[in-house]
Amino acid sequence: MRWDNLGDDPAGAAGTALFGTDAVVTRTVDTPEFRGITFHEVRARSILNRVPGASRMPFEWTVNPYRGCTHACVYCFARKTHGYLDLDTGLGFDSQIVVKTNAPELLRRQLASRRWQGAHIAMGTNVDCYQRAEGRYRLMPGIISALRDHANPFSVLTKGTLILRDLDLLVQAAAVTEVGISVSVGFTDRELWRTVEPGTPSPQRRLDVVRTLGEHGIGCGVLMAPVIPFLGDRPEQLRATVRAVAEAGATSVTPLVLHLRPGAREWFMAWLRRHHPGLVGRYERMYAEGAYAPTWYQRRITRQVHELADEFGIGPARRGASRAPAIPDDPAPEGATQLTLL
């Protein structure tokens, strides 16, 4: 089986092919230790992806060793990309995982090319590179080793505690190049976590990652994302989250309000109708103009979080203060490819 022209945008407008021009599916695997999960193992032709300029991300290149994500976050913006492979964007996104098994060797070869100029590479910007599948396939040690050996700057954004398995490699890499780590923790409410992020480690375990990395000399920021309107945005919820982030020793906290791009919007709204039917009308009004909450609401949340961060002794990510992936304060245009892990 062969999947052709696999990219973030099927018409080619984004210009970013996640597998290069094509990828050969070498094996499809179901395994008892991952009950309900199917892995599609592929050999990709390219692993370095150029980010479209319209996205306004603070990096040009990404590496994404997986497609689909067992974190099963109901709001994940990347769900739409599964549709480009004729895979289901709902449960299929959570359970049909595409694995680029040759990612480490491919990256090492591309980094050695005379055409490669050593630009910063961001990881975890599409789906989480430390999701459960990484425990089986162990692609990240080879990827980090390649980046370390070429002294190539990189960053990782994750909800996964599995990153601590590679702590020694991260420390070695940080000794020779710039390494930035961010952990995504949008809230500390355990009931909300269990319903909207059912496949992720708990927020407290993620904050333990922040603490452990800091104890080993690797500063770690927190992307406070998503802040979920009417479910995770009460002042006491924001305060509890920022306090916990500060206590974990995070170097920065950057809030990002929930956005509902096509694909994610339908799945999230179906979840909302089941679990919080009384909020459906409020969401339809809040997101009536598109994928993003109104600017006034985003600014209010940002102001509240920044004030709390100052109170607890940390601040928002500042230019030059954090090497991990950051998100622009202003929303990206509807036509842009938003490369963030939500």
Side-chain angles (χ1 to χ4, degrees), residues 123-146:
M123 292 176 285
T125 58
N126 189 56
V127 298
D128 203 322
C129 51
Y130 280 107
Q131 60 176 288
R132 284 182 60 213
E134 173 61 16
R136 172 185 173 91
Y137 286 97
R138 299 183 61 87
L139 300 180
M140 288 302 292
I143 288 171
I144 295 172
S145 295

Side-chain angles (χ1 to χ4, degrees), residues 28-44:
T28 294
V29 181
D30 295 292
T31 178
E33 63 266 33
F34 288 87
R35 187 177 301 277
I37 308 299
T38 298
F39 297 109
H40 303 284
E41 299 177 357
V42 309
R43 292 191 63 82

Side-chain angles (χ1 to χ4, degrees), residues 28-305:
T28 294
V29 181
D30 295 292
T31 178
E33 63 266 33
F34 288 87
R35 187 177 301 277
I37 308 299
T38 298
F39 297 109
H40 303 284
E41 299 177 357
V42 309
R43 292 191 63 82
R45 290 185 59 186
S46 179
I47 196 66
L48 283 167
N49 314 301
R50 191 161 202 156
V51 178
S55 69
R56 294 179 289 176
M57 292 295 103
F59 45 82
E60 277 190 83
W61 297 91
T62 66
V63 165
N64 297 299
Y66 300 100
R67 287 281 291 273
C69 187
T70 54
H71 284 341
C73 301
V74 298
Y75 51 75
C76 183
F77 89 98
R79 289 182 176 278
K80 184 177 181 180
T81 63
H82 242 41
Y84 304 154
L85 309 182
D86 292 326
L87 294 174
D88 177 62
T89 59
L91 290 175
F93 179 84
D94 304 336
S95 61
Q96 301 281 326
I97 309 303
V98 179
V99 184
K100 304 174 195 175
T101 56
N102 61 333
E105 62 193 79
L106 195 54
L107 178 61
R108 185 174 290 276
R109 186 163 71 245
Q110 291 185 274
L111 293 178
S113 169
R114 287 180 294 179
R115 293 180 295 176
W116 179 248
Q117 299 299 308
H120 179 100
I121 294 172
M123 292 176 285
T125 58
N126 189 56
V127 298
D128 203 322
C129 51
Y130 280 107
Q131 60 176 288
R132 284 182 60 213
E134 173 61 16
R136 172 185 173 91
Y137 286 97
R138 299 183 61 87
L139 300 180
M140 288 302 292
I143 288 171
I144 295 172
S145 295
L147 292 163
R148 175 202 62 194
D149 294 347
H150 287 274
N152 200 104
F154 67 92
S155 56
V156 178
L157 174 61
T158 185
K159 286 187 176 84
T161 56
L162 192 56
I163 191 173
L164 293 181
R165 179 203 62 194
D166 298 338
L167 181 57
D168 289 345
L169 282 172
L170 292 169
V171 171
Q172 293 168 19
V176 297
T177 190
E178 292 187 347
V179 175
I181 310 294
S182 266
V183 171
S184 178
V185 183
F187 42 83
T188 53
D189 185 306
R190 290 186 66 85
E191 183 177 352
L192 184 58
W193 157 62
R194 289 183 184 279
T195 56
V196 301
E197 300 172 343
T200 65
S202 72
Q204 189 53 57
R205 288 183 62 202
R206 286 177 246 162
L207 291 172
D208 288 341
V209 169
V210 175
R211 183 176 295 106
T212 300
L213 289 169
E215 290 170 351
H216 287 80
I218 299 178
C220 184
V222 167
L223 181 62
M224 191 170 161
V227 175
I228 304 179
F230 317 125
L231 292 172
D233 63 349
R234 297 195 305 275
E236 62 271 23
Q237 290 174 305
L238 299 178
R239 171 174 285 274
T241 300
V242 176
R243 179 191 291 116
V245 168
E247 290 174 349
T251 58
S252 65
V253 58
T254 305
L256 182 68
V257 172
L258 174 74
H259 64 273
L260 296 173
R261 298 181 71 81
R265 186 186 189 108
E266 295 82 358
W267 191 246
F268 179 85
M269 292 302 291
W271 172 86
L272 196 68
R273 290 185 187 96
R274 293 193 303 272
H275 293 272
H276 301 280
L279 292 179
V280 171
R282 299 180 73 180
Y283 265 83
E284 289 175 343
R285 291 188 293 273
M286 174 167 277
Y287 291 90
E289 299 301 318
Y292 295 89
T295 300
W296 65 263
Y297 179 85
Q298 296 186 57
R299 289 176 176 170
R300 190 188 81 187
I301 294 298
T302 298
R303 182 179 65 254
Q304 288 177 295
V305 171

